[in-house]
Coordinates of all heavy atoms in Angstrom, one line a residue:
M3 N 0.8 -1.2 0.0 CA 0.0 0.0 0.0 C 0.9 1.3 0.0 O 0.5 2.2 -0.7 CB -1.0 0.0 1.2 CG -1.8 1.1 1.2 SD -3.4 0.5 1.8 CE -4.2 2.1 2.2
L4 N 2.0 1.2 0.7 CA 2.9 2.3 0.7 C 3.5 2.7 -0.6 O 3.6 3.8 -1.0 CB 4.0 2.0 1.7 CG 5.0 3.2 1.9 CD1 4.3 4.5 2.5 CD2 6.1 2.8 2.8
R5 N 3.8 1.6 -1.4 CA 4.5 1.8 -2.7 C 3.4 2.3 -3.6 O 3.7 3.0 -4.6 CB 4.9 0.4 -3.2 CG 6.3 0.2 -2.6 CD 6.8 -1.1 -3.2 NE 8.1 -1.4 -2.4 CZ 9.2 -1.8 -2.9 NH1 9.3 -1.9 -4.3 NH2 10.2 -2.1 -2.1
S6 N 2.1 2.0 -3.5 CA 1.1 2.4 -4.6 C 0.8 4.0 -4.1 O 0.7 4.8 -5.0 CB -0.3 1.7 -4.3 OG -0.8 1.9 -3.0
H7 N 1.0 4.4 -2.8 CA 0.8 5.8 -2.5 C 2.0 6.6 -3.1 O 1.9 7.6 -3.6 CB 0.8 5.9 -0.9 CG 0.7 7.3 -0.4 ND1 -0.5 8.0 -0.7 CD2 1.6 8.1 0.3 CE1 -0.2 9.3 0.0 NE2 1.0 9.3 0.5
Y8 N 3.2 5.9 -3.0 CA 4.4 6.5 -3.5 C 4.3 6.7 -5.0 O 4.6 7.8 -5.6 CB 5.5 5.5 -3.1 CG 7.0 6.1 -3.3 CD1 7.3 7.3 -2.6 CD2 7.8 5.4 -4.1 CE1 8.6 7.8 -2.8 CE2 9.2 5.9 -4.3 CZ 9.6 7.0 -3.6 OH 10.8 7.6 -3.7
S9 N 3.9 5.7 -5.8 CA 3.5 5.8 -7.2 C 2.6 6.9 -7.5 O 2.7 7.5 -8.5 CB 3.2 4.4 -7.8 OG 4.1 3.4 -7.5
G10 N 1.6 7.0 -6.8 CA 0.5 8.0 -7.0 C 1.1 9.5 -6.9 O 0.9 10.4 -7.7
L11 N 1.9 9.6 -5.8 CA 2.6 11.0 -5.6 C 3.6 11.2 -6.8 O 3.7 12.3 -7.3 CB 3.4 11.0 -4.4 CG 2.6 11.1 -3.1 CD1 3.4 10.9 -1.8 CD2 1.7 12.3 -3.1
I12 N 4.3 10.2 -7.3 CA 5.1 10.4 -8.5 C 4.3 10.7 -9.7 O 4.7 11.7 -10.4 CB 5.9 9.2 -8.8 CG1 7.0 8.9 -7.7 CG2 6.7 9.2 -10.1 CD1 7.8 7.6 -7.6
G13 N 3.2 10.0 -9.9 CA 2.3 10.5 -11.1 C 1.8 11.9 -11.0 O 1.8 12.7 -11.9
L14 N 1.3 12.4 -9.8 CA 0.9 13.7 -9.5 C 2.1 14.6 -9.8 O 1.9 15.8 -10.4 CB 0.4 13.8 -8.1 CG -0.2 15.2 -7.7 CD1 -1.4 15.5 -8.5 CD2 -0.5 15.3 -6.2
A15 N 3.2 14.4 -9.3 CA 4.4 15.2 -9.5 C 4.6 15.4 -11.0 O 5.1 16.5 -11.4 CB 5.6 14.8 -8.7
V16 N 4.7 14.3 -11.8 CA 5.0 14.4 -13.1 C 4.0 15.2 -13.9 O 4.2 16.0 -14.7 CB 5.2 12.9 -13.7 CG1 5.0 12.9 -15.2 CG2 6.4 12.2 -13.2
A17 N 2.6 14.9 -13.5 CA 1.6 15.7 -14.1 C 1.8 17.2 -13.8 O 1.6 18.1 -14.8 CB 0.2 15.2 -13.7
A18 N 2.1 17.6 -12.7 CA 2.3 19.0 -12.3 C 3.6 19.5 -13.1 O 3.5 20.7 -13.6 CB 2.6 19.1 -10.8
A19 N 4.6 18.7 -13.2 CA 5.8 19.2 -14.1 C 5.5 19.4 -15.5 O 5.9 20.4 -16.1 CB 6.9 18.1 -13.9
I20 N 4.7 18.5 -16.0 CA 4.3 18.7 -17.5 C 3.4 19.9 -17.6 O 3.6 20.8 -18.6 CB 3.6 17.4 -18.0 CG1 4.6 16.3 -18.1 CG2 2.9 17.7 -19.5 CD1 3.9 14.9 -18.5
F21 N 2.4 20.1 -16.7 CA 1.6 21.3 -16.7 C 2.4 22.5 -16.6 O 2.2 23.6 -17.2 CB 0.4 21.2 -15.8 CG -0.5 22.3 -15.8 CD1 -1.4 22.5 -16.8 CD2 -0.4 23.3 -14.8 CE1 -2.3 23.5 -16.8 CE2 -1.2 24.4 -14.9 CZ -2.2 24.4 -15.8
S22 N 3.3 22.5 -15.6 CA 4.1 23.8 -15.5 C 5.0 24.1 -16.6 O 5.2 25.3 -16.9 CB 4.8 23.8 -14.1 OG 5.6 22.6 -14.0
L23 N 5.6 23.1 -17.2 CA 6.3 23.3 -18.4 C 5.5 23.9 -19.5 O 5.9 24.8 -20.3 CB 7.0 22.0 -18.9 CG 8.2 21.6 -18.1 CD1 8.7 20.1 -18.6 CD2 9.4 22.5 -18.2
W24 N 4.3 23.4 -19.7 CA 3.4 23.9 -20.8 C 3.0 25.4 -20.4 O 3.1 26.3 -21.4 CB 2.1 23.1 -20.8 CG 1.1 23.7 -21.7 CD1 1.1 23.7 -23.0 CD2 -0.2 24.3 -21.3 NE1 0.0 24.3 -23.6 CE2 -0.8 24.6 -22.4 CE3 -0.8 24.5 -20.2 CZ2 -2.0 25.2 -22.4 CZ3 -2.0 24.9 -20.0 CH2 -2.6 25.3 -21.3
R25 N 2.8 25.7 -19.2 CA 2.5 27.1 -18.8 C 3.6 28.0 -19.0 O 3.6 29.1 -19.4 CB 1.9 27.2 -17.3 CG 0.6 26.6 -17.0 CD -0.5 27.1 -17.9 NE -0.7 28.5 -17.6 CZ -1.4 29.3 -18.4 NH1 -1.9 28.8 -19.6 NH2 -1.5 30.6 -18.2
L26 N 4.8 27.4 -18.7 CA 6.1 28.3 -18.9 C 6.2 28.6 -20.5 O 6.6 29.6 -20.9 CB 7.3 27.6 -18.4 CG 8.6 28.3 -18.4 CD1 8.6 29.4 -17.5 CD2 9.7 27.3 -18.1
D27 N 6.0 27.5 -21.3 CA 6.0 27.7 -22.8 C 5.1 28.7 -23.2 O 5.4 29.5 -24.1 CB 5.7 26.3 -23.4 CG 6.1 26.4 -25.0 OD1 7.0 27.1 -25.3 OD2 5.2 25.7 -25.6
C28 N 3.7 28.7 -22.7 CA 2.8 29.7 -23.1 C 3.3 31.1 -22.6 O 3.1 32.1 -23.3 CB 1.4 29.3 -22.5 SG 0.7 28.0 -23.1
T29 N 3.9 31.2 -21.4 CA 4.4 32.5 -21.0 C 5.4 33.1 -21.9 O 5.4 34.4 -22.0 CB 4.9 32.4 -19.6 OG1 3.9 31.8 -18.6 CG2 5.3 33.6 -18.9
F30 N 6.3 32.4 -22.4 CA 7.3 32.9 -23.3 C 6.8 33.1 -24.8 O 7.7 33.2 -25.6 CB 8.5 31.9 -23.3 CG 9.3 32.0 -21.9 CD1 9.5 31.0 -21.2 CD2 9.8 33.3 -21.5 CE1 10.3 31.1 -20.0 CE2 10.4 33.4 -20.4 CZ 10.7 32.3 -19.5
G31 N 5.6 33.0 -25.0 CA 5.1 33.4 -26.3 C 4.7 32.3 -27.2 O 4.5 32.5 -28.5
A32 N 4.6 31.1 -26.8 CA 4.2 30.0 -27.7 C 2.8 30.1 -28.1 O 2.0 30.5 -27.2 CB 4.5 28.6 -27.1
R33 N 2.4 30.0 -29.4 CA 1.0 30.1 -29.8 C 0.4 28.8 -29.6 O 0.7 27.8 -30.3 CB 1.0 30.6 -31.3 CG 1.6 32.0 -31.4 CD 1.5 32.5 -32.8 NE 1.9 31.6 -33.8 CZ 1.7 31.6 -35.1 NH1 1.0 32.6 -35.6 NH2 2.3 30.7 -36.0
Q34 N -0.6 28.8 -28.9 CA -1.4 27.6 -28.7 C -2.7 27.7 -29.5 O -3.7 28.3 -29.0 CB -1.8 27.4 -27.2 CG -0.6 27.4 -26.2 CD 0.3 26.0 -26.4 OE1 -0.2 25.0 -26.8 NE2 1.6 26.1 -26.3
L35 N -2.7 27.2 -30.6 CA -3.8 27.3 -31.5 C -4.8 26.1 -31.4 O -5.8 26.0 -32.3 CB -3.4 27.5 -33.0 CG -2.4 28.7 -33.2 CD1 -2.0 28.8 -34.6 CD2 -3.2 30.0 -32.8
L36 N -4.6 25.2 -30.6 CA -5.3 23.9 -30.6 C -6.8 24.2 -30.1 O -7.7 23.7 -30.6 CB -4.8 22.9 -29.5 CG -5.4 21.5 -29.5 CD1 -5.3 20.9 -31.0 CD2 -4.8 20.7 -28.5
H37 N -7.0 25.1 -29.1 CA -8.3 25.4 -28.7 C -9.1 26.2 -29.8 O -10.4 26.2 -29.7 CB -8.2 26.2 -27.4 CG -7.8 27.5 -27.5 ND1 -6.4 27.8 -27.5 CD2 -8.4 28.7 -27.5 CE1 -6.2 29.1 -27.6 NE2 -7.4 29.7 -27.6
L38 N -8.5 26.8 -30.7 CA -9.1 27.5 -31.9 C -9.5 26.5 -32.9 O -10.3 26.9 -33.7 CB -8.4 28.7 -32.2 CG -8.1 29.8 -31.2 CD1 -7.2 30.9 -31.8 CD2 -9.3 30.4 -30.8
S39 N -8.7 25.4 -33.1 CA -8.9 24.5 -34.1 C -10.3 23.8 -34.1 O -10.8 23.5 -33.0 CB -7.8 23.6 -34.1 OG -8.0 22.6 -35.2
R40 N -10.9 23.5 -35.3 CA -12.0 22.6 -35.3 C -11.8 21.2 -35.6 O -12.6 20.5 -35.9 CB -13.2 23.2 -36.3 CG -13.6 24.6 -35.8 CD -14.6 25.1 -36.8 NE -15.1 26.5 -36.3 CZ -15.9 27.2 -36.9 NH1 -16.6 26.7 -37.9 NH2 -16.3 28.4 -36.4
D41 N -10.5 20.9 -35.8 CA -10.2 19.6 -36.3 C -10.1 18.6 -35.0 O -9.2 18.6 -34.2 CB -8.8 19.7 -36.9 CG -8.3 18.3 -37.6 OD1 -9.2 17.4 -37.7 OD2 -7.1 18.3 -38.1
S42 N -11.1 17.7 -35.0 CA -11.2 16.8 -33.9 C -10.1 15.8 -33.9 O -9.8 15.3 -32.8 CB -12.7 16.3 -33.8 OG -12.9 15.5 -34.9
Q43 N -9.8 15.4 -35.0 CA -8.7 14.4 -35.0 C -7.3 14.9 -34.5 O -6.6 14.2 -33.9 CB -8.4 13.9 -36.5 CG -9.6 13.0 -37.0 CD -9.5 12.6 -38.5 OE1 -8.6 13.1 -39.1 NE2 -10.2 11.6 -38.9
A44 N -7.0 16.1 -34.8 CA -5.8 16.7 -34.3 C -5.9 16.9 -32.8 O -5.0 16.6 -32.0 CB -5.6 18.1 -34.9
K45 N -7.0 17.3 -32.3 CA -7.3 17.5 -30.8 C -7.1 16.0 -30.1 O -6.5 16.0 -29.1 CB -8.6 18.0 -30.5 CG -8.7 19.5 -30.8 CD -10.1 20.0 -30.4 CE -10.2 21.6 -30.6 NZ -11.5 22.1 -30.3
A46 N -7.8 15.0 -30.6 CA -7.7 13.7 -30.1 C -6.2 13.2 -30.1 O -5.8 12.7 -29.1 CB -8.5 12.7 -30.9
L47 N -5.5 13.5 -31.1 CA -4.1 13.0 -31.4 C -3.2 13.7 -30.4 O -2.4 13.1 -29.7 CB -3.5 13.3 -32.8 CG -2.1 12.9 -33.0 CD1 -2.0 11.3 -32.9 CD2 -1.7 13.3 -34.5
V48 N -3.4 15.0 -30.1 CA -2.6 15.8 -29.1 C -2.9 15.2 -27.7 O -2.0 15.1 -27.0 CB -2.9 17.3 -29.2 CG1 -2.4 18.1 -28.0 CG2 -2.3 17.8 -30.5
H49 N -4.1 15.0 -27.4 CA -4.5 14.4 -26.1 C -3.9 13.1 -25.8 O -3.4 12.8 -24.8 CB -5.9 14.5 -25.8 CG -6.5 15.8 -25.6 ND1 -6.9 16.6 -26.7 CD2 -6.7 16.5 -24.5 CE1 -7.4 17.8 -26.2 NE2 -7.2 17.8 -24.8
I50 N -4.0 12.3 -26.8 CA -3.4 10.9 -26.7 C -1.9 10.9 -26.7 O -1.3 10.2 -25.7 CB -3.8 10.1 -28.0 CG1 -5.3 9.7 -28.0 CG2 -3.0 8.7 -28.0 CD1 -5.8 9.1 -29.3
L51 N -1.2 11.8 -27.3 CA 0.1 12.0 -27.2 C 0.6 12.5 -25.9 O 1.6 12.2 -25.3 CB 0.8 12.9 -28.4 CG 0.8 12.1 -29.7 CD1 1.3 13.1 -30.8 CD2 1.6 10.8 -29.7
G52 N -0.2 13.5 -25.3 CA 0.0 14.0 -24.1 C -0.1 12.9 -22.9 O 0.8 12.9 -22.0
M53 N -1.1 12.1 -23.0 CA -1.2 10.9 -22.1 C -0.1 10.0 -22.2 O 0.4 9.4 -21.1 CB -2.5 10.2 -22.4 CG -3.8 11.1 -21.8 SD -3.8 11.5 -20.1 CE -4.0 9.8 -19.4
A54 N 0.4 9.7 -23.4 CA 1.5 8.8 -23.6 C 2.8 9.4 -23.0 O 3.5 8.7 -22.5 CB 1.7 8.5 -25.1
L55 N 2.9 10.7 -23.2 CA 4.2 11.4 -22.5 C 4.1 11.2 -21.0 O 5.1 10.9 -20.3 CB 4.1 12.9 -22.9 CG 5.2 13.6 -22.3 CD1 6.6 13.3 -22.7 CD2 4.9 15.1 -22.5
W56 N 2.9 11.5 -20.5 CA 2.8 11.3 -19.0 C 3.0 9.8 -18.6 O 3.7 9.6 -17.5 CB 1.3 11.8 -18.6 CG 1.1 11.6 -17.2 CD1 1.4 12.5 -16.2 CD2 0.4 10.6 -16.5 NE1 1.0 11.9 -15.0 CE2 0.4 10.8 -15.0 CE3 -0.2 9.4 -16.9 CZ2 -0.1 9.9 -14.1 CZ3 -0.9 8.6 -16.0 CH2 -0.8 8.9 -14.6
V57 N 2.4 8.8 -19.3 CA 2.7 7.4 -18.9 C 4.1 7.2 -19.0 O 4.7 6.5 -18.1 CB 1.9 6.5 -19.8 CG1 2.3 5.0 -19.7 CG2 0.5 6.7 -19.5
C58 N 4.9 7.6 -20.0 CA 6.4 7.3 -20.1 C 7.1 8.0 -19.0 O 8.0 7.2 -18.3 CB 6.8 7.9 -21.5 SG 6.4 6.9 -22.8
W59 N 6.8 9.2 -18.7 CA 7.6 9.9 -17.5 C 7.3 9.2 -16.2 O 8.1 9.1 -15.4 CB 7.1 11.4 -17.5 CG 7.8 12.3 -18.5 CD1 8.5 11.9 -19.6 CD2 8.0 13.6 -18.6 NE1 9.0 12.9 -20.3 CE2 8.6 14.0 -19.6 CE3 7.6 14.6 -17.6 CZ2 8.9 15.3 -19.9 CZ3 7.9 15.8 -17.8 CH2 8.6 16.3 -18.9
V60 N 6.0 8.8 -16.0 CA 5.6 8.1 -14.8 C 6.3 6.7 -14.6 O 6.9 6.5 -13.6 CB 4.1 8.0 -14.6 CG1 3.8 7.1 -13.5 CG2 3.5 9.4 -14.3
G61 N 6.4 6.0 -15.8 CA 7.0 4.8 -15.7 C 8.4 4.9 -15.5 O 9.0 4.1 -14.6
I62 N 9.2 5.8 -16.0 CA 10.6 6.0 -15.9 C 10.8 6.4 -14.4 O 11.8 6.0 -13.8 CB 11.1 7.0 -16.8 CG1 11.1 6.5 -18.4 CG2 12.5 7.4 -16.4 CD1 11.4 7.4 -19.4
S63 N 10.0 7.3 -13.9 CA 10.2 7.8 -12.6 C 10.0 6.7 -11.6 O 10.8 6.7 -10.5 CB 9.3 9.0 -12.2 OG 9.5 10.1 -13.2
V64 N 8.9 5.9 -11.7 CA 8.7 4.8 -10.8 C 9.7 3.8 -10.7 O 10.3 3.4 -9.7 CB 7.3 4.2 -11.1 CG1 7.2 2.8 -10.3 CG2 6.2 5.1 -10.7
V65 N 10.3 3.4 -11.9 CA 11.4 2.4 -12.0 C 12.6 3.1 -11.4 O 13.4 2.4 -10.6 CB 11.7 2.1 -13.5 CG1 12.9 1.2 -13.7 CG2 10.5 1.3 -13.9
A66 N 13.0 4.3 -11.6 CA 14.1 4.9 -10.9 C 13.9 5.0 -9.4 O 14.9 4.7 -8.7 CB 14.3 6.3 -11.6
C67 N 12.8 5.3 -9.0 CA 12.7 5.3 -7.6 C 12.7 3.8 -7.0 O 13.2 3.7 -5.8 CB 11.3 6.0 -7.2 SG 11.4 7.8 -7.4
M68 N 12.1 3.0 -7.5 CA 12.3 1.5 -7.2 C 13.7 1.0 -7.2 O 14.1 0.5 -6.1 CB 11.5 0.6 -8.0 CG 10.0 0.8 -7.8 SD 8.9 -0.1 -9.0 CE 9.4 -1.8 -8.7
A69 N 14.5 1.4 -8.1 CA 16.0 1.1 -8.1 C 16.7 1.7 -7.0 O 17.5 1.2 -6.3 CB 16.5 1.4 -9.4
Y70 N 16.3 3.0 -6.7 CA 16.9 3.8 -5.6 C 16.6 3.1 -4.3 O 17.5 3.0 -3.5 CB 16.5 5.2 -5.7 CG 17.1 6.0 -4.5 CD1 18.2 6.6 -4.6 CD2 16.3 6.2 -3.4 CE1 18.8 7.4 -3.6 CE2 16.8 7.0 -2.3 CZ 18.1 7.5 -2.4 OH 18.6 8.3 -1.3
D71 N 15.4 2.7 -4.1 CA 15.1 2.0 -2.9 C 15.7 0.7 -2.7 O 16.1 0.4 -1.5 CB 13.5 1.8 -2.8 CG 12.7 3.1 -2.7 OD1 13.3 4.0 -2.2 OD2 11.4 3.1 -3.0
Q72 N 15.8 -0.1 -3.8 CA 16.6 -1.3 -3.7 C 18.0 -1.2 -3.4 O 18.6 -2.0 -2.6 CB 16.3 -2.2 -4.9 CG 15.0 -2.7 -5.0 CD 14.7 -3.4 -6.3 OE1 15.6 -3.6 -7.2 NE2 13.5 -4.0 -6.5
V73 N 18.7 -0.1 -3.9 CA 20.1 0.1 -3.7 C 20.3 0.6 -2.2 O 21.3 0.1 -1.6 CB 20.6 1.1 -4.7 CG1 22.1 1.5 -4.3 CG2 20.6 0.4 -6.1
Y74 N 19.5 1.5 -1.8 CA 19.7 2.0 -0.5 C 18.9 1.3 0.5 O 18.8 1.9 1.7 CB 19.6 3.5 -0.5 CG 20.6 4.2 -1.3 CD1 20.4 4.7 -2.6 CD2 21.9 4.3 -0.8 CE1 21.3 5.3 -3.5 CE2 22.9 4.9 -1.7 CZ 22.6 5.4 -2.9 OH 23.5 6.0 -3.5
E75 N 18.4 0.2 0.4 CA 17.6 -0.5 1.5 C 18.4 -1.0 2.4 O 19.7 -1.5 2.2 CB 16.9 -1.7 0.8 CG 15.9 -2.4 1.7 CD 15.2 -3.5 0.9 OE1 15.0 -3.5 -0.3 OE2 14.6 -4.3 1.7
L76 N 18.0 -0.9 3.7 CA 18.8 -1.4 4.9 C 19.0 -2.8 4.8 O 18.0 -3.6 4.5 CB 18.3 -0.9 6.3 CG 18.3 0.7 6.5 CD1 17.5 0.9 7.7 CD2 19.7 1.1 6.4
V77 N 20.3 -3.3 5.1 CA 20.5 -4.8 5.2 C 19.7 -5.3 6.5 O 19.8 -4.8 7.6 CB 22.0 -5.1 5.3 CG1 22.2 -6.4 5.4 CG2 22.6 -4.4 4.1
P78 N 19.1 -6.5 6.3 CA 18.4 -7.1 7.6 C 19.5 -7.4 8.6 O 20.6 -7.8 8.2 CB 17.5 -8.2 7.0 CG 18.2 -8.5 5.6 CD 18.8 -7.2 5.2
N79 N 19.0 -7.6 9.8 CA 20.0 -8.0 10.8 C 20.0 -9.5 10.9 O 19.4 -10.2 11.7 CB 19.6 -7.4 12.2 CG 19.7 -5.9 12.3 OD1 20.6 -5.4 11.7 ND2 18.8 -5.3 13.0
L80 N 20.8 -10.1 10.1 CA 21.0 -11.6 10.1 C 22.4 -11.9 10.6 O 23.4 -11.0 10.5 CB 20.9 -12.1 8.6 CG 19.6 -11.8 7.9 CD1 19.7 -12.3 6.4 CD2 18.6 -12.8 8.6
P81 N 22.5 -13.0 11.3 CA 23.8 -13.4 11.8 C 24.9 -13.4 10.7 O 24.7 -13.9 9.7 CB 23.6 -14.8 12.4 CG 22.1 -15.0 12.5 CD 21.5 -14.0 11.4
G82 N 26.0 -12.8 11.1 CA 27.1 -12.9 10.2 C 27.2 -11.7 9.3 O 28.2 -11.5 8.5
L83 N 26.1 -10.8 9.1 CA 26.2 -9.7 8.1 C 26.7 -8.4 8.9 O 27.0 -7.4 8.2 CB 24.8 -9.5 7.6 CG 24.3 -10.5 6.7 CD1 23.0 -10.1 6.3 CD2 25.2 -10.7 5.5
G84 N 26.8 -8.4 10.2 CA 27.1 -7.2 10.9 C 28.7 -6.9 10.8 O 29.0 -5.8 10.8
A85 N 29.5 -7.9 10.7 CA 30.9 -7.8 10.7 C 31.5 -7.9 9.4 O 31.0 -8.9 8.6 CB 31.6 -8.6 11.7
P86 N 32.5 -7.2 8.9 CA 33.0 -7.5 7.6 C 33.8 -8.8 7.6 O 34.3 -9.2 8.6 CB 34.0 -6.3 7.3 CG 34.2 -5.6 8.7 CD 33.0 -6.0 9.5
I87 N 34.0 -9.4 6.4 CA 34.7 -10.7 6.3 C 36.2 -10.5 6.5 O 36.8 -9.6 6.0 CB 34.5 -11.3 5.0 CG1 32.9 -11.6 5.0 CG2 35.2 -12.6 4.8 CD1 32.4 -12.2 3.6

């Protein structure tokens, strides 16, 4: 349950990062003409590609965090592991 909560927070952070990058792009003068377009196929394609970008970033972030947790996980207190060989 803790890992699913952790994955949810990663997904939220990635979505916030993508949204803030988009807002930053709009601030610096990018023309966003999608909302003015009447082409429904183009709108659908942009939304599908945006979701695919989010899924890729979340997948990469979750795998990186899982690898970090496995590398820095504390060694269990088993006999013979406390002293170096």
